[in-house]
Amino acid sequence: MSTLNISEGMHLYFVLTGIPGLEKEYYWMAFPLGFIYVIAILGNGIIISTIKSESSLHIPMYYFLCMLALADLGLALCTLPSTLGIFWFNYKVIAFDACLVQMYFIHTFSAIESGVLVAMAFDRVVAIRNPLRYGTILTGGVVCRIGAAILTRAVCVVFPVPFLIKRLPFYHSNVLSHSFCLHQDVMRLACASTCVNSLYGLIAVIFTKGSDSLSILLSYAFILCTVLSIASGEGQLKALNTCVSHICAVLIFYVPLIGVSVIHRFGKHLSPLTHTLMANAYLLVPPVLNPVVYTVKTKEIRRKIIQIFTRTKITVQV
């Protein structure tokens, strides 16, 4: 593919990469990949609509779950056009500015999801340590302010990133390692010092995911202390059972994130396929698995899914 440059030699676009070594199978791989995106979009959409329509779910725990579903939905929609464009249409080109926009929204929704997981951990702390005051501590106004703070932090922290990339020259390779734009991946192609970008990226990660993971750990330390103080074993299990879904969501989000970070830092000798699969897992696993986890644990969501399938079956028969 020919490289299109502006008068100074700057690239006007980047070339995205699908799965290295499997180029001939792209068309057939697009179908399971498309199915994964359908599950992510439908699953999170059902969660949002169920929480909106079911008055019994109008409590802080499910408001935060709705925020998590919105973040997952945003992540899935950010990567869908470029990923399916590669696998279905073999369209690998993304304009420079479009790449920056996609990069901004991917990192913003990722930061939002991390913040929502902290809010959900706080919700569990309040519910287990102060169950009688749960409704008075986490009022609707408090939940709205927490959501606004999560959104503001994510938007403000990620906002400088595209501008830091924009100032860098890109004269040589313009081939990215993934089917979407990530800050680290774009930054490595620059033909100038990226110290400022690396430093700000480190600060942003520490301020968001680093502090969030520490907050979640501290929250569960408080929860464990409270649970261990409960006299009956049945009471302890009941209290811990309310945290299972959130623990799964935390693992679903942070395990791929840690894997990607470790591979980027220490896995330069690994094959490009490994890097690609880990990056895709980091962005696709949470939107797909979170709805599954919360569907299993929430009967109202299960009932909603059954109603949708019943209506679909009736429509097909008619």
Side-chain angles (χ1 to χ4, degrees):
M1 186 176 294
S2 62
T3 303
L4 180 63
N5 300 335
I6 61 175
S7 57
E8 293 84 358
M10 274 279 285
H11 293 303
L12 283 177
Y13 65 85
F14 289 109
V15 179
L16 300 170
T17 302
I19 299 179
L22 298 176
E23 287 80 2
K24 293 182 179 179
E25 310 298 328
Y26 278 1
Y27 182 79
W28 300 109
M29 291 173 65
F31 289 99
L33 192 60
F35 182 67
I36 288 172
Y37 275 109
V38 168
I39 292 174
I41 294 169
L42 281 181
N44 288 290
I46 289 170
I47 286 176
I48 294 166
S49 65
T50 304
I51 293 171
K52 181 181 177 181
S53 61
E54 293 283 342
S55 58
S56 61
L57 300 182
H58 291 176
I59 58 175
M61 174 183 174
Y62 291 105
Y63 289 146
F64 290 132
L65 174 57
C66 188
M67 296 179 195
L68 184 69
L70 285 169
D72 281 334
L73 197 58
L75 270 178
L77 291 175
C78 281
T79 59
L80 185 148
S82 59
T83 302
L84 292 187
I86 291 173
F87 287 91
W88 257 335
F89 307 108
N90 199 31
Y91 188 79
K92 301 180 179 180
V93 174
I94 183 169
F96 186 87
D97 289 336
C99 182
L100 296 185
V101 171
Q102 185 188 51
M103 178 179 66
Y104 173 77
F105 280 107
I106 286 175
H107 290 295
T108 297
F109 280 117
S110 181
I112 290 172
E113 180 154 354
S114 181
V116 171
L117 289 173
V118 175
M120 296 174 84
F122 176 67
D123 170 85
R124 292 299 84 208
V125 171
V126 175
I128 292 173
R129 288 179 68 89
N130 297 286
L132 298 179
R133 297 180 58 205
Y134 179 73
T136 57
I137 294 174
L138 287 174
T139 62
V142 170
V143 171
C144 288
R145 285 194 289 273
I146 291 174
I150 292 170
L151 177 62
T152 302
R153 184 191 70 161
V155 169
C156 292
V157 168
V158 183
F159 187 75
V161 172
F163 297 99
L164 290 174
I165 291 290
K166 186 86 171 175
R167 69 185 180 86
L168 296 173
F170 294 88
Y171 300 123
H172 299 149
S173 175
N174 63 342
V175 180
L176 298 173
S177 303
H178 310 302
S179 55
F180 39 78
C181 299
L182 295 176
H183 178 236
Q184 307 96 311
D185 197 24
V186 176
M187 183 177 64
R188 71 178 179 82
L189 299 179
C191 300
S193 174
T194 58
C195 291
V196 175
N197 296 68
S198 298
L199 180 60
Y200 185 79
L202 178 62
I203 293 171
V205 168
I206 292 173
F207 183 63
T208 54
K209 280 131 187 180
S211 62
D212 289 348
S213 58
L214 182 60
S215 298
I216 292 170
L217 285 173
L218 289 174
S219 297
Y220 275 98
F222 285 123
I223 288 171
L224 282 175
C225 288
T226 304
V227 169
L228 291 175
S229 67
I230 299 173
S232 68
E234 184 181 350
Q236 291 178 346
L237 288 175
K238 186 177 179 181
L240 288 175
N241 188 51
T242 64
C243 302
V244 170
S245 298
H246 179 253
I247 292 171
C248 290
V250 170
L251 293 175
I252 287 167
F253 179 76
Y254 279 102
V255 169
L257 174 63
I258 292 169
V260 168
S261 301
V262 169
I263 283 178
H264 267 288
R265 179 67 181 85
F266 302 106
K268 300 188 189 308
H269 62 285
L270 296 175
S271 67
L273 178 61
T274 305
H275 287 264
T276 301
L277 292 178
M278 284 304 301
N280 280 285
Y282 162 55
L283 293 181
L284 279 178
V285 167
V288 172
L289 291 188
N290 281 337
V292 174
V293 169
Y294 281 95
T295 297
V296 170
K297 295 292 291 182
T298 312
K299 63 180 180 181
E300 289 84 357
I301 298 174
R302 290 200 302 272
R303 186 167 63 242
K304 185 79 169 181
I305 292 174
I306 292 171
Q307 288 174 356
I308 290 172
F309 277 108
T310 302
R311 290 171 188 167
T312 304
K313 185 178 179 180
I314 292 172
T315 303
V316 170
Q317 288 176 347
V318 171

